[in-house]
Amino acid sequence: TDHISSVTWGYKDAKGNLEDESNLVLLSTSFDFSCYIWNNDKKDDLWVNRVRLGQMGGNKNAFFGAVFNGQYDEILAYTFGGALYLWKIEGEDQYNLRHTISGHFGNVTDLDWSSEGDYLVSCSSDQTTRLYGEWVAKGTWHELSRAQIHGYDMNAIRNLRVPAKGDKKFVDYIVSGGDEKIIRMFEPSLAFINTLNTLGNKNLRLFFENAEDEDKNLDKSYNGVRYNINTEATNQVLGLMAKQIQVEQPKISTYGEGEDEDFQEEGNNDAMDYDYKTPPVEDYIVKRTLWPELNKLYGHGYEIKAIAVNSTGSLIASACKSQTTDHACIILWDPKKYNIIDRIHFHNYT
């Protein structure tokens, strides 16, 4: 239903007869968010679509191209937004989505380690905030969450420490700013905490005012910290606010364990549970890992250029773009009361 962006020949089976037309397939990609695999129907002597891969809903990205690997048992596609999609052929017309490397496709404008050094957060002119953690079993780092998908370019990002309570350590909050001239604060999604703890062998928690509220949401069958519900966020109009929602079970492909026909043909990643044993795939990262917005801080008149947080998480400092002394100030904020503590006037420009 839209422009075709690429076509490439391939084979059903690299070990089969490469001169047999029945073993020949054609892979095409389109700006309609799909990849098609075609082969010849000898009965009608027509080339017909055999498999459809790609996106049916959610955050759609037009496919710019796709290729087979040398064994013709994997397909790698790439999108307008810089994302990679990898499908592994597990059986006859059965293609399972696997995790790939991922990252920003615009300039990285800022980054920060978490207060405990457990993960890395970054922001970019591609209007996203992303978090990366280690998959300890493999010794590799992967994108685990796209905490913020925004409508403005992002310029500054910091982790805000939540002080530990006894032996309980908490995942930091995020403080971010960009061309929007508003500072936004985000609290962790439980999906991110579950993924980080499982892949990274961590025991970090979400901060609850009441310990009983946390206790009833913990998965007691898991040897560690994992929550049995999932709080996440959904983008509102214009992508400027992430509103918290709650779902009973996070969903994703389990990479070959109990595949669902609708998932294979329509790319519906809501069809299966995510077991946290492997890094998440692109569709899951986009749809299910946004962080709920905690609050907004108003005070700057122009684009946010820099943010700093003290080591205890009790103070935020920020500065914005300016050509006048009035706006060329450093604002100090109280992150608990969400108000301005002081303005430091000294500089004349940004």
Side-chain angles (χ1 to χ4, degrees), residues 215-234:
D215 187 65
K216 67 183 180 181
N217 292 318
L218 284 171
D219 182 357
K220 302 298 196 306
S221 65
Y222 179 69
N223 184 25
V225 177
R226 181 186 288 178
Y227 296 95
N228 54 25
I229 63 168
N230 180 32
T231 58
E232 59 189 43
T234 178

Side-chain angles (χ1 to χ4, degrees), residues 115-116 118 161-172 197 202-216 218 220 224-225 227:
S115 58
E116 297 291 335
D118 296 308
R161 178 190 286 273
V162 180
K165 285 187 175 182
D167 61 346
K168 293 183 178 180
K169 294 184 178 180
F170 305 102
V171 175
D172 299 338
N197 285 345
K202 312 292 183 184
N203 283 301
L204 298 176
R205 299 169 180 265
L206 176 67
F207 176 76
F208 284 83
E209 291 285 354
N210 190 332
E212 294 180 357
D213 291 337
E214 180 188 31
D215 187 65
K216 67 183 180 181
L218 284 171
K220 302 298 196 306
V225 177
Y227 296 95

Side-chain angles (χ1 to χ4, degrees), residues 252-301:
I252 199 174
S253 164
T254 53
Y255 313 117
E257 300 177 7
E259 291 81 0
D260 180 272
E261 182 178 352
D262 291 336
F263 174 80
Q264 301 303 331
E265 295 186 356
E266 298 184 1
N268 177 14
N269 71 344
D270 289 340
M272 278 169 278
D273 295 341
Y274 176 32
D275 59 10
Y276 306 112
K277 294 179 180 179
T278 57
V281 297
E282 176 70 16
D283 278 356
Y284 179 79
I285 291 175
V286 170
K287 296 179 187 177
R288 311 303 293 269
T289 65
L290 285 171
W291 283 30
E293 188 174 305
L294 190 64
N295 218 318
K296 291 183 280 289
L297 305 179
Y298 297 92
H300 289 294

